[in-house]
Coordinates of all heavy atoms in Angstrom, one line a residue:
M21 N 113.9 84.8 148.3 CA 113.9 84.5 149.8 C 113.0 83.4 150.1 O 113.3 82.4 150.9 CB 113.6 85.7 150.6 CG 113.6 85.5 152.1 SD 112.8 86.9 152.9 CE 113.7 88.3 152.3
M22 N 111.8 83.4 149.5 CA 110.8 82.4 149.7 C 111.3 81.0 149.3 O 111.2 80.0 150.0 CB 109.5 82.7 148.9 CG 108.4 81.7 149.1 SD 107.1 81.8 147.9 CE 107.9 81.1 146.4
V23 N 111.9 81.0 148.1 CA 112.5 79.7 147.6 C 113.5 79.1 148.5 O 113.5 77.9 148.9 CB 113.1 79.9 146.2 CG1 113.9 78.7 145.7 CG2 112.0 80.3 145.2
H24 N 114.4 80.0 149.0 CA 115.4 79.6 150.0 C 114.8 79.0 151.2 O 115.2 77.9 151.7 CB 116.3 80.7 150.3 CG 117.4 80.4 151.3 ND1 118.5 79.6 151.1 CD2 117.5 80.8 152.6 CE1 119.2 79.5 152.1 NE2 118.7 80.2 153.1
V25 N 113.9 79.7 151.8 CA 113.3 79.2 153.1 C 112.5 77.9 152.8 O 112.5 77.0 153.7 CB 112.4 80.3 153.7 CG1 111.5 79.8 154.8 CG2 113.2 81.5 154.1
A26 N 111.8 77.8 151.7 CA 111.0 76.6 151.4 C 111.9 75.4 151.3 O 111.6 74.3 151.8 CB 110.2 76.8 150.1
H27 N 113.1 75.5 150.6 CA 114.0 74.4 150.5 C 114.7 74.1 151.9 O 115.0 72.9 152.1 CB 115.1 74.7 149.5 CG 114.5 74.6 148.1 ND1 113.9 73.5 147.6 CD2 114.6 75.5 147.0 CE1 113.5 73.7 146.3 NE2 114.0 74.9 145.9
Q28 N 114.9 75.1 152.7 CA 115.4 74.9 154.0 C 114.5 74.0 154.8 O 114.9 73.1 155.5 CB 115.7 76.2 154.8 CG 117.0 76.9 154.5 CD 117.3 78.0 155.4 OE1 116.4 78.8 155.8 NE2 118.5 78.2 155.8
T29 N 113.2 74.4 154.8 CA 112.2 73.7 155.5 C 112.0 72.2 154.9 O 111.9 71.3 155.7 CB 110.8 74.4 155.4 OG1 111.0 75.7 155.7 CG2 109.8 73.7 156.2
E30 N 112.1 72.1 153.6 CA 112.1 70.8 153.0 C 113.2 69.9 153.5 O 113.0 68.7 153.9 CB 112.1 70.9 151.5 CG 112.1 69.6 150.7 CD 112.2 69.8 149.3 OE1 112.9 70.8 148.8 OE2 111.7 69.0 148.5
A31 N 114.4 70.5 153.6 CA 115.6 69.7 154.1 C 115.4 69.3 155.6 O 115.8 68.2 156.0 CB 116.8 70.5 153.9
A32 N 114.8 70.2 156.4 CA 114.6 69.9 157.8 C 113.6 68.8 157.9 O 113.7 67.9 158.8 CB 114.1 71.1 158.5
I33 N 112.5 68.8 157.1 CA 111.5 67.7 157.2 C 112.2 66.4 156.8 O 111.9 65.3 157.4 CB 110.3 68.0 156.2 CG1 109.6 69.3 156.7 CG2 109.4 66.8 156.1 CD1 108.9 69.2 158.0
R34 N 113.0 66.4 155.8 CA 113.7 65.2 155.3 C 114.6 64.7 156.4 O 114.7 63.5 156.6 CB 114.5 65.5 154.1 CG 114.9 64.2 153.3 CD 115.7 64.6 152.0 NE 114.9 65.4 151.1 CZ 115.3 66.6 150.7 NH1 116.4 67.2 151.2 NH2 114.5 67.3 149.9
H35 N 115.2 65.6 157.2 CA 116.2 65.2 158.2 C 115.5 64.7 159.5 O 115.9 63.6 160.0 CB 117.1 66.4 158.5 CG 118.1 66.1 159.6 ND1 119.2 65.3 159.4 CD2 118.1 66.5 160.9 CE1 119.9 65.3 160.6 NE2 119.2 65.9 161.5
Y36 N 114.5 65.4 159.9 CA 113.9 65.1 161.2 C 112.7 64.2 161.1 O 112.2 63.7 162.1 CB 113.4 66.4 161.9 CG 114.6 67.3 162.4 CD1 114.8 68.5 161.7 CD2 115.4 66.9 163.4 CE1 115.9 69.3 162.2 CE2 116.4 67.7 163.9 CZ 116.7 68.9 163.2 OH 117.7 69.7 163.7
G37 N 112.1 64.1 159.9 CA 110.8 63.4 159.8 C 109.6 64.4 159.9 O 109.8 65.6 160.3
A38 N 108.5 64.0 159.5 CA 107.3 64.9 159.3 C 106.9 65.5 160.7 O 106.8 66.8 160.8 CB 106.1 64.1 158.7
E39 N 106.7 64.7 161.7 CA 106.2 65.3 163.0 C 107.2 66.2 163.6 O 106.9 67.3 164.0 CB 105.8 64.1 163.9 CG 105.1 64.6 165.1 CD 104.6 63.4 165.9 OE1 104.4 62.3 165.4 OE2 104.3 63.6 167.2
L40 N 108.5 65.7 163.8 CA 109.5 66.5 164.5 C 109.9 67.7 163.6 O 110.1 68.8 164.1 CB 110.7 65.7 164.8 CG 111.8 66.4 165.6 CD1 111.3 67.0 166.9 CD2 113.0 65.4 165.9
G41 N 109.9 67.5 162.3 CA 110.2 68.6 161.4 C 109.2 69.8 161.5 O 109.6 70.9 161.4
L42 N 107.9 69.4 161.5 CA 106.9 70.4 161.7 C 107.1 71.2 163.0 O 107.0 72.4 163.1 CB 105.5 69.8 161.7 CG 104.3 70.7 162.0 CD1 104.2 71.9 161.1 CD2 103.0 69.9 162.0
Q43 N 107.4 70.4 164.1 CA 107.6 71.1 165.4 C 108.8 72.1 165.3 O 108.7 73.2 165.8 CB 107.9 70.0 166.4 CG 108.0 70.5 167.8 CD 108.3 69.4 168.8 OE1 107.8 68.3 168.7 NE2 109.2 69.7 169.8
K44 N 109.9 71.6 164.7 CA 111.1 72.5 164.6 C 110.7 73.7 163.8 O 111.2 74.9 164.1 CB 112.2 71.7 163.9 CG 112.8 70.6 164.7 CD 113.8 71.0 165.7 CE 114.5 69.9 166.4 NZ 115.4 70.3 167.5
A45 N 110.0 73.6 162.7 CA 109.6 74.7 161.8 C 108.8 75.7 162.6 O 109.0 76.9 162.5 CB 108.9 74.3 160.6
M46 N 107.8 75.2 163.4 CA 106.9 76.0 164.2 C 107.7 76.8 165.2 O 107.5 78.0 165.4 CB 105.8 75.2 164.8 CG 104.8 74.6 163.8 SD 103.6 73.5 164.6 CE 102.8 74.7 165.7
E47 N 108.7 76.1 165.9 CA 109.5 76.8 166.9 C 110.3 77.9 166.3 O 110.4 79.0 166.8 CB 110.4 75.8 167.6 CG 109.7 74.8 168.5 CD 110.6 73.7 169.0 OE1 111.8 73.6 168.6 OE2 110.1 72.8 169.8
Q48 N 110.9 77.6 165.1 CA 111.8 78.6 164.5 C 111.0 79.8 164.0 O 111.3 81.0 164.2 CB 112.5 78.0 163.3 CG 113.6 78.9 162.7 CD 114.4 78.1 161.7 OE1 114.1 77.1 161.2 NE2 115.6 78.7 161.4
L49 N 109.8 79.6 163.4 CA 109.0 80.7 162.9 C 108.3 81.4 164.0 O 108.0 82.6 163.9 CB 107.9 80.1 161.9 CG 108.5 79.6 160.6 CD1 107.5 78.8 159.8 CD2 109.0 80.8 159.7
S50 N 108.1 80.8 165.1 CA 107.5 81.5 166.3 C 108.4 82.6 166.8 O 107.9 83.6 167.3 CB 107.2 80.5 167.4 OG 106.1 79.6 167.0
E51 N 109.7 82.4 166.7 CA 110.6 83.4 167.1 C 110.5 84.7 166.3 O 110.7 85.8 166.8 CB 112.1 82.8 167.0 CG 112.4 81.7 168.0 CD 113.8 81.2 167.8 OE1 114.5 81.8 167.0 OE2 114.1 80.1 168.4
Q52 N 110.1 84.5 165.0 CA 110.0 85.7 164.2 C 108.6 86.2 164.1 O 108.4 87.5 164.1 CB 110.4 85.3 162.7 CG 110.4 86.4 161.7 CD 110.9 86.0 160.4 OE1 111.4 84.9 160.2 NE2 110.8 86.9 159.4
F53 N 107.6 85.4 164.2 CA 106.2 85.8 164.0 C 105.3 85.7 165.2 O 104.2 86.2 165.2 CB 105.6 85.0 162.8 CG 106.2 85.2 161.5 CD1 107.2 84.3 161.0 CD2 105.9 86.3 160.7 CE1 107.8 84.5 159.8 CE2 106.5 86.5 159.5 CZ 107.4 85.6 159.0
G54 N 105.8 85.0 166.2 CA 105.0 84.8 167.4 C 104.3 83.5 167.4 O 103.8 83.1 166.3
K55 N 104.3 82.8 168.5 CA 103.7 81.4 168.6 C 102.2 81.5 168.2 O 101.7 80.6 167.5 CB 103.9 80.8 170.0 CG 103.4 79.4 170.1 CD 103.7 78.8 171.5 CE 103.2 77.4 171.6 NZ 103.5 76.8 173.0
E56 N 101.5 82.5 168.7 CA 100.1 82.6 168.5 C 99.7 82.7 167.0 O 98.8 82.0 166.5 CB 99.5 83.8 169.3 CG 98.0 83.9 169.2 CD 97.4 85.0 170.0 OE1 98.1 85.5 170.9 OE2 96.3 85.4 169.8
K57 N 100.5 83.5 166.3 CA 100.2 83.6 164.9 C 100.6 82.3 164.1 O 99.8 81.9 163.2 CB 101.0 84.8 164.3 CG 100.7 85.0 162.8 CD 101.2 86.4 162.4 CE 100.8 86.7 160.9 NZ 101.2 88.1 160.5
V58 N 101.7 81.7 164.5 CA 102.0 80.4 163.8 C 101.0 79.4 164.0 O 100.6 78.7 163.1 CB 103.4 80.0 164.3 CG1 103.7 78.5 163.9 CG2 104.5 80.9 163.8
L59 N 100.5 79.3 165.2 CA 99.4 78.3 165.5 C 98.1 78.6 164.7 O 97.5 77.7 164.2 CB 99.1 78.2 167.0 CG 100.2 77.6 167.9 CD1 99.8 77.8 169.4 CD2 100.3 76.1 167.6
A60 N 97.8 79.9 164.6 CA 96.7 80.3 163.8 C 96.8 79.9 162.3 O 95.9 79.4 161.7 CB 96.4 81.8 163.9
V61 N 98.0 80.1 161.8 CA 98.3 79.8 160.4 C 98.2 78.2 160.2 O 97.7 77.8 159.2 CB 99.7 80.3 159.9 CG1 100.0 79.9 158.5 CG2 99.7 81.8 160.0
I62 N 98.7 77.5 161.1 CA 98.6 76.0 161.0 C 97.1 75.6 161.1 O 96.7 74.7 160.3 CB 99.3 75.3 162.2 CG1 100.8 75.6 162.0 CG2 99.0 73.8 162.3 CD1 101.5 74.8 160.9
G63 N 96.3 76.1 162.0 CA 94.9 75.8 162.0 C 94.5 74.4 162.5 O 95.4 73.7 163.0
D64 N 93.3 74.0 162.2 CA 92.8 72.7 162.7 C 92.7 71.7 161.6 O 92.3 70.5 161.9 CB 91.4 72.9 163.5 CG 90.3 73.5 162.6 OD1 90.5 73.5 161.3 OD2 89.3 73.9 163.1
G65 N 92.9 72.1 160.4 CA 92.9 71.1 159.3 C 91.5 70.8 158.7 O 91.4 70.0 157.8
I66 N 90.4 71.4 159.2 CA 89.1 71.2 158.7 C 88.9 72.1 157.5 O 89.0 73.3 157.6 CB 88.0 71.4 159.8 CG1 88.2 70.5 160.9 CG2 86.6 71.3 159.2 CD1 87.3 70.8 162.1
K67 N 88.6 71.5 156.3 CA 88.4 72.3 155.1 C 87.1 73.1 155.2 O 86.0 72.5 155.3 CB 88.4 71.4 153.9 CG 88.0 72.1 152.6 CD 88.9 73.2 152.2 CE 88.5 73.8 150.9 NZ 89.1 75.1 150.6
R68 N 87.1 74.4 155.2 CA 86.0 75.2 155.2 C 86.3 76.5 154.5 O 87.5 76.8 154.3 CB 85.6 75.5 156.7 CG 86.6 76.3 157.5 CD 86.1 76.7 158.8 NE 86.0 75.6 159.8 CZ 87.0 75.2 160.5 NH1 88.3 75.7 160.4 NH2 86.9 74.2 161.4

């Protein structure tokens, strides 16, 4: 299941581009996991 979803996401990034692809993935995953959790998983990008 993980492999399938990863390749789906990869195809979406290739189709939409990096910025829009990330947005689409976040929207889709928010429906399943909630927007707050998805934003937390994404984080701020500071390595700590």
Side-chain angles (χ1 to χ4, degrees):
M21 182 193 306
M22 180 196 75
V23 172
H24 176 69
V25 171
H27 285 309
Q28 275 190 323
T29 309
E30 181 184 30
I33 296 296
R34 195 181 300 121
H35 178 76
Y36 292 110
E39 190 173 338
L40 184 56
L42 173 58
Q43 183 181 326
K44 293 279 189 184
M46 290 175 65
E47 289 172 357
Q48 190 171 16
L49 291 165
S50 293
E51 293 176 7
Q52 182 176 353
F53 296 97
K55 184 177 180 181
E56 187 177 338
K57 185 165 187 175
V58 167
L59 288 172
V61 176
I62 292 289
D64 60 12
I66 298 170
K67 172 61 178 163
R68 62 172 76 85

